[in-house]
Amino acid sequence: MSVVFGACGGAVPTSADRYSSALGRYPGARCVRTYHDDIYFVAQGLKAGGGAPHVCAGGRHVLALEGWLANREDLARSLDLVGELPADSVMVAAALLRWGRDALTRLHGDFVLAWWDAVERRLLLAADRTGGRALFYHCVAGLATGGGIVFANIPGPLFMHPLVPRVLDPAMVARATFTPSLDLQETCFHGVKQLLPGHMLDWTAAAGARVSRYWRLDPTRRLRLRRDGDYVEAARELLDTVVREALPREGMAASMLSGGLDSGAVATTVARLMAPTALHTVTVRPDPASPLPTGKPRQFLDEWDHAQATARLHPSIMPHCVPATLDSLEDLLRSGFHWGGRPPVHLMAAAWMSAGWRQARRLGATTVFVGRAGNATLSASILPTALKPRILDMPQAVYTAVLAASNGMNAMPYLRAFAPDWLRDWRANLRGTGLIWQRRTALRREAAERIDMDGVWRSHLSGDRHAAWGRRARLRLMERTWTARTLSACQHFRDGVERRDPLGDVRLAEFCLAIPSDQFTRFGQDRFLARRVLADRLPPEVLHERRTGRQVAEWFDWVSRNRAWLAAELDGIEASALGRDVIDVPRLRTILDDWPANADMAEPRYMQVMNVLGRGVAVGSFIRWAEGSNM
């Protein structure tokens, strides 16, 4: 983990020492190295002994790299490197020198980079393809010395620069109330943008900044093998490869382990590769002090028994369980704002997982493996949320609806997707429920009209029209998974451990998107590929589990304990002009006053209490934090 800050052109700071000392206060940045010339400055805070920024090619190029490379051995062979492999920054610099910008598609791992050409006076910024790291930037125009750009891999250092305004953008704050419509390229601050996964930015003083996408998944690529078993063997080999290449070269690794397929796939593969070295796993259990709702037929609330069953198959796994604990929501929100610069997607998720991160730190882990991207790759289903189909997609939609029914799922969403927008709107108004985004957000109607929320929602339902309907939904799921990673990419600074998710690797995503859809779902057999691939490493009770493990099942008890704080936050939001303009505070007060009596009565109102009230308070609290009124 390291903090990177840089500036080009007329934005180069006059005092490098001030930024170096400021960066040194960030966790993991005790040592600060800098480089600067007449129009470029970069500072990188590292652990003691770090060697970046990396100057090469006789001083012509300077690389600041934050993150880690996965495919080091493949790169070394392609670059004709022999002997002990050098640091990641040296390998990336060598790749850029040989292949130019084409090198970006050859690099796997989690990283952001800044590549300076001192001769051409050109800066390249790039983010990896899977959202493993974040990079923020601000373009400065109209300076007497010409334009400039300021960049950092976390928002805080960016705002240290006097030319970067810390002014909220009301339109983007309004968009932040509805998670599916998030536009991460535009942050909630005027002029502060984020480089999306798979994107790069070219900057010169004459041309300014130009952002382009250097890579995207190809939804037309197909991979056909002779036998069903060939897909299983290919997926197993690929799983072993991406996990092996994600193993840290220093420090201790641990793994989160739930009762599902994804974290089990990662943890057991890590254990096999590390054996006989012990692998500590962490399972978060429900808060014992919280009354839980009655379990639903397709859910289970405590995943510890399944995690233990998995651990029993692997002698090197040392399983640990930790009860979820309710930390201060206010403190967690503020720390999330500080590191991510955005409201959280879920009011309670950080609180629920914080016990797991603390346990990992107590065990001495510096890297923690997770499997969150598995739903989009290895354990994918062809039954994700239906996107808006075309008439020619009708046969595939009907087939998918039948498949869903054979797996005990609701088939109607796949058929209702064909309804025209006007019919959906008419039905929603007739039922008095409002449109889906109205039911899920605390956004005031006037604010919604200013950002054309109806159009945003229709665009969200369309997906990539260049892809076939079935693959369009899977393509969007993969890209949204990488976007979600970007949302939390800075949280390792707060939690003190780096998260690695090999199931989100580009190579696994490309493989899973290219193979036939019947490898994932067949009649009565969903997540078909994962259950076969993992048969050699997971126990039957996990492999054949048709229910899903539920996290934050104690949400109602936790939010009830914070009811007084929620009411105080609503008062603060109402006192903010922007808060009143964006958030429908009277509606949130109505929800707070009409409180469910117990957890079971709260379950049908989850969307109203957590999505509308919880998300509305989170966004409102973010507004107040950015305005400096709840520091």
Side-chain angles (χ1 to χ4, degrees):
M1 296 183 291
S2 63
V3 182
V4 175
F5 170 85
C8 248
V12 170
T14 57
S15 174
D17 293 340
R18 183 168 71 89
Y19 292 97
S20 299
S21 60
L23 287 181
R25 293 195 294 269
Y26 282 90
R30 298 295 177 260
C31 174
V32 179
R33 306 290 179 87
T34 65
Y35 167 90
H36 64 87
D37 56 31
D38 55 335
I39 68 164
Y40 182 64
F41 167 80
V42 65
Q44 186 162 6
L46 305 161
K47 295 178 181 178
H54 175 62
V55 182
C56 59
R60 172 174 178 171
H61 290 286
V62 182
L63 175 70
L65 177 74
E66 204 289 298
W68 57 276
L69 280 181
N71 59 327
R72 286 168 50 83
E73 293 180 0
D74 286 343
L75 273 178
R77 284 190 291 269
S78 299
L79 293 168
D80 303 319
L81 299 178
V82 295
E84 184 178 352
L85 298 185
D88 286 352
S89 58
V90 176
M91 297 186 74
V92 172
L96 287 165
L97 286 172
R98 176 169 294 191
W99 300 307
R101 284 153 177 73
D102 290 341
L104 297 174
T105 60
R106 295 172 175 255
L107 306 177
H108 296 287
D110 296 346
F111 61 86
V112 291
L113 62 84
W115 177 244
W116 173 243
D117 186 331
V119 173
E120 294 187 2
R121 295 297 203 246
R122 180 183 297 272
L123 175 68
L124 171 70
L125 303 178
D128 72 75
R129 293 172 279 177
T130 65
R133 292 292 192 272
L135 188 63
F136 303 88
Y137 65 94
H138 174 75
C139 294
V140 183
L143 296 173
T145 54
I149 185 171
V150 185
F151 61 89
N153 65 322
I154 51 178
L158 206 66
F159 292 116
M160 294 190 306
H161 197 288
L163 297 179
V164 180
R166 196 171 185 267
V167 179
L168 286 173
D169 182 338
M172 298 315 299
V173 171
R175 287 283 293 271
T177 62
F178 187 48
T179 305
S181 75
L182 284 179
D183 178 3
L184 293 190
Q185 184 170 335
E186 304 288 340
T187 74
C188 290
F189 294 94
H190 272 297
V192 177
K193 302 178 184 292
Q194 182 172 346
L195 204 58
L196 298 181
H199 283 66
M200 64 182 182
L201 180 151
D202 268 300
W203 181 92
T204 62
R210 184 176 64 87
V211 176
S212 60
R213 186 167 188 169
Y214 67 83
W215 177 87
R216 68 173 68 240
L217 278 168
D218 181 2
T220 66
R221 179 174 172 267
R222 300 290 183 268
L223 175 63
R224 298 291 184 268
L225 303 179
R226 292 184 60 186
R227 300 177 298 108
D228 266 359
D230 293 340
Y231 294 103
V232 174
E233 291 306 313
R236 278 181 180 161
E237 182 179 352
L238 191 51
L239 174 62
D240 288 344
T241 296
V242 297
V243 173
R244 182 178 62 253
E245 292 185 354
L247 293 175
R249 296 189 299 278
E250 59 181 25
M252 173 184 154
S255 186
M256 291 295 179
L257 180 59
S258 68
L261 298 172
D262 299 325
S263 65
V266 174
T268 57
T269 305
V270 171
R272 286 157 57 121
L273 294 170
M274 287 178 49
T277 302
L279 172 69
H280 294 273
T281 63
V282 178
T283 305
V284 181
R285 304 183 70 182
D287 183 352
S290 296
L292 301 178
T294 303
K296 297 181 180 179
R298 297 183 65 87
Q299 293 181 342
F300 59 102
L301 306 183
D302 191 339
E303 302 180 273
W304 177 232
D305 288 344
H306 284 51
Q308 287 180 294
T310 297
R312 283 194 291 270
L313 289 182
H314 302 271
S316 62
I317 289 182
M318 300 183 64
H320 305 265
C321 69
V322 58
T325 56
L326 180 59
D327 297 325
S328 167
L329 288 182
E330 184 175 11
D331 292 343
L332 280 169
L333 281 175
R334 289 180 184 176
S335 64
F337 300 157
H338 177 72
W339 293 114
R342 285 189 177 91
V345 172
H346 191 285
L347 184 65
M348 297 290 178
W352 202 81
M353 287 302 299
S354 61
W357 306 127
R358 282 197 300 269
Q359 177 67 13
R361 290 198 306 272
R362 283 195 292 266
L363 293 169
T366 55
T367 299
V368 177
F369 283 92
V370 297
R372 292 175 181 169
N375 284 336
T377 55
L378 183 66
S379 68
S381 165
I382 67 165
L383 305 171
T385 303
L387 296 180
K388 187 71 175 173
R390 298 160 293 194
I391 296 300
L392 57 84
D393 297 320
M394 176 66 83
Q396 190 174 4
V398 172
Y399 173 71
T400 305
V402 174
L403 270 182
S406 75
N407 282 280
M409 300 172 64
N410 184 7
M412 288 307 297
Y414 304 97
L415 302 177
R416 281 201 298 262
F418 280 93
D421 294 333
W422 66 265
L423 182 58
R424 286 185 174 187
D425 295 350
W426 175 81
R427 181 173 178 268
N429 290 329
L430 185 67
R431 298 175 63 186
T433 58
L435 303 179
I436 185 66
W437 65 263
Q438 293 172 325
R439 300 198 297 272
R440 291 184 178 183
T441 76
L443 191 61
R444 290 181 66 245
R445 179 170 290 277
E446 294 80 1
E449 291 174 352
R450 286 197 299 270
I451 63 171
D452 185 23
M453 197 62 183
D454 289 331
V456 168
W457 175 240
R458 284 192 294 271
S459 175
H460 168 70
L461 286 178
S462 296
D464 184 350
R465 289 284 184 168
H466 295 93
W469 181 72
R471 275 183 166 75
R472 198 189 318 160
R474 293 173 57 202
L475 178 64
R476 190 186 72 170
L477 177 60
M478 288 179 182
E479 293 193 338
R480 282 172 56 80
T481 298
W482 291 330
T483 298
R485 290 193 72 206
T486 302
L487 279 170
S488 60
C490 300
Q491 298 306 318
H492 58 270
F493 289 102
R494 180 190 68 187
D495 299 324
V497 290
E498 182 179 17
R499 309 170 194 180
R500 297 195 180 184
D501 187 355
L503 297 187
D505 189 281
V506 164
R507 293 161 290 183
L508 191 59
E510 289 178 325
F511 172 83
C512 291
L513 191 63
I515 65 178
S517 59
D518 70 350
Q519 289 298 314
F520 297 98
T521 305
R522 296 185 177 180
F523 288 101
Q525 301 178 85
D526 198 19
R527 309 192 188 280
F528 186 50
L529 178 66
R531 297 185 200 281
R532 291 175 294 156
V533 169
L534 302 176
D536 66 341
R537 58 198 77 183
L538 291 181
E541 51 263 64
V542 175
L543 274 178
H544 305 305
E545 179 63 77
R546 302 292 168 172
R547 301 171 299 169
T548 57
R550 182 177 180 184
Q551 298 181 344
V552 205
E554 57 274 78
W555 67 270
F556 178 67
D557 178 65
W558 281 12
V559 79
S560 294
R561 294 191 216 172
N562 281 275
R563 195 174 170 191
W565 172 76
L566 291 171
E569 284 296 296
L570 292 182
D571 291 339
I573 296 169
E574 201 163 36
S576 163
L578 180 56
R580 292 193 307 272
D581 180 66
V582 172
I583 305 298
D584 189 347
V585 177
R587 182 184 178 194
L588 301 191
R589 291 195 189 279
T590 299
I591 297 172
L592 198 61
D593 292 340
D594 184 23
W595 206 243
N598 54 53
D600 285 326
M601 294 181 67
E603 283 295 297
R605 295 178 57 189
Y606 178 88
M607 185 180 296
Q608 183 189 64
V609 175
M610 289 304 299
N611 288 34
V612 179
L613 176 62
R615 179 78 176 163
V617 168
V619 173
S621 185
F622 170 79
I623 292 172
R624 297 179 59 228
W625 168 81
E627 293 176 339
S629 58
N630 69 341
M631 299 298 289

